[in-house]
Amino acid sequence: MLLSLVVHTHSLRYWLPAAVMMGTAPVYLLTWAAWRLLSMLLPARLYHIMDDRLYTIYQSVVLFFFESYTGVEHGGIYVKRSAKFNEKAMADKLEQQIKVGTPAYLVIFPEGTRYNPDNPEVIAASQAYAHKEGLPALKHAMSPRVKATRVAVNTMRGHLDAVYDVTVAYEGTINNTGYRATAPSMPEFLCRECPRIHIFFERVDVKEVPEEAIFLKRWLHERFEIKDKLLTEFYESEDEQKRYKFPGEGHKSQLSLMRTLPSLLFLGGLTVPMLLTESGRKIYMKTWIYGTLVGWLWVNIRP
């Protein structure tokens, strides 16, 4: 009985924040849709500013739970994976953002899929690709694909002074046999099972990034060879002073509660009144259903 209560209480550490994050999603979507309609007659720059602000509010709610609720020492990198890639569409969107002067950080994940020690077939396929291309096989990272990186960097080259090479590693991911385990999932983060995330940044002058595809592929793989050495040292070093650490002086990243709590209160304050009325609940549920359907169609069907 006591053990069951402990397990149930532990699971609430995940379900509570998950319920809040997912529960406020329809309100965020409705607010964004309303702004989208209102801004149709406004300058594109004004729309993008507010659109970015609304997205920041929702992501701040996510960061509230990761930073203030779990206590994880955390940085956020968001990934969009898709089997379909349209070079021209990506270049056009980037040029559009440049044209309207939208401030932005573009994050690219060249591995294409998450490194998963429990999926050796994918790792083997990645290493086979490296051998086929005449490149060194990687142990703790996937062989990078160059297409999206080339389009992004070459499209924005005139507006960049540098790119930042970011390597991420997680504490608490060595299993009982001494091997690297799968990276923490969202429930594990929210249950505070990953105490610390390590992020290694290296600034690379944009002039050092080749423009030609063949040279860029070699350069990008060399950057991942550096990552592989960093991760090998992080996870496998026999020197305990070097294990679970990146080289250089580390700094803790602390996000102020006042940067995230107002967003939580804002979206929560819009959600609760909606759920208290019958008409509000109907709109809420329809937004959930149709929003999920449209999102699925957008990701899986659009070219």
Side-chain angles (χ1 to χ4, degrees):
M1 177 75 176
L2 180 59
L3 179 60
S4 176
L5 179 61
V6 170
V7 172
H8 180 67
T9 303
H10 183 74
S11 68
L12 286 178
R13 297 168 71 179
Y14 163 62
W15 287 112
L16 175 62
V20 174
M21 286 188 286
M22 296 178 67
T24 56
V27 172
Y28 162 71
L29 183 59
L30 287 170
T31 305
W32 174 83
W35 169 246
R36 188 72 180 95
L37 290 173
L38 289 172
S39 63
M40 292 181 68
L41 300 177
L42 298 175
R45 180 175 175 80
L46 181 59
Y47 163 72
H48 285 294
I49 291 173
M50 188 60 183
D51 179 67
D52 182 64
R53 186 58 202 159
L54 289 173
Y55 183 74
T56 300
I57 288 173
Y58 186 75
Q59 291 303 321
S60 294
V61 174
V62 177
L63 287 175
F64 169 82
F65 287 106
F66 274 90
E67 292 266 351
S68 304
Y69 179 83
T70 67
V72 172
E73 296 172 17
H74 179 263
I77 299 176
Y78 297 89
V79 178
K80 183 181 188 304
R81 283 178 274 185
S82 175
K84 301 175 183 178
F85 176 74
N86 187 319
E87 291 188 42
K88 186 178 184 305
M90 179 179 179
D92 289 344
K93 289 179 180 178
L94 289 172
E95 288 173 353
Q96 182 183 15
Q97 298 300 313
I98 293 170
K99 184 177 180 180
V100 299
T102 304
Y105 293 97
L106 178 65
V107 180
I108 300 176
F109 189 69
E111 288 173 296
T113 190
R114 193 178 190 185
Y115 180 94
N116 187 349
D118 294 333
N119 198 340
E121 293 83 6
V122 174
I123 297 174
S126 175
Q127 293 174 341
Y129 168 80
H131 286 304
K132 179 183 176 182
E133 297 293 321
L135 302 168
L138 306 175
K139 182 178 181 181
H140 284 285
M142 308 290 283
S143 297
R145 304 304 173 96
V146 73
K147 191 179 293 184
T149 303
R150 176 174 56 80
V151 174
V153 174
N154 286 345
T155 301
M156 303 180 70
R157 186 176 290 272
H159 303 271
L160 300 175
D161 57 359
V163 296
Y164 288 84
D165 186 355
V166 183
T167 305
V168 181
Y170 307 89
E171 278 192 26
T173 52
I174 298 297
N175 59 29
N176 295 332
T177 60
Y179 290 96
R180 179 182 172 186
T182 308
S185 63
M186 181 173 285
E188 289 169 330
F189 273 126
L190 295 175
C191 290
R192 306 182 185 183
E193 295 181 13
C194 176
R196 193 173 289 109
I197 300 172
H198 295 255
I199 305 179
F200 186 87
F201 291 90
E202 185 169 355
R203 185 183 187 277
V204 181
D205 193 294
V206 73
K207 295 177 183 177
E208 298 179 23
V209 184
E211 295 187 43
E212 298 81 2
I214 186 171
F215 297 117
L216 182 59
K217 177 187 288 188
R218 175 72 252 187
W219 175 86
L220 187 61
H221 200 278
E222 287 175 352
R223 296 303 314 177
F224 271 74
E225 291 173 45
I226 295 172
K227 290 178 183 292
D228 203 48
K229 291 177 181 178
L230 286 169
L231 292 170
T232 299
E233 190 79 0
F234 183 92
Y235 288 112
E236 300 180 13
S237 178
E238 296 181 0
D239 185 346
E240 293 186 1
Q241 299 297 319
K242 295 182 179 180
R243 197 182 311 153
Y244 307 136
K245 293 181 181 178
F246 280 136
E249 183 180 356
H251 300 278
K252 291 183 179 180
S253 174
Q254 184 101 25
L255 189 64
S256 168
L257 184 64
M258 294 310 298
R259 295 284 301 277
T260 57
L261 184 59
S263 297
L264 176 65
L265 296 176
F266 174 75
L267 283 182
L270 292 178
T271 303
V272 173
M274 178 177 285
L275 296 178
L276 292 178
T277 63
E278 184 178 353
S279 58
R281 287 192 292 270
K282 288 181 179 179
I283 295 173
Y284 182 88
M285 290 307 300
K286 287 181 180 179
T287 305
W288 251 119
I289 295 169
Y290 294 118
T292 301
L293 178 61
V294 170
W296 184 88
L297 292 172
W298 178 263
V299 171
N300 291 282
I301 296 181
R302 72 186 180 93

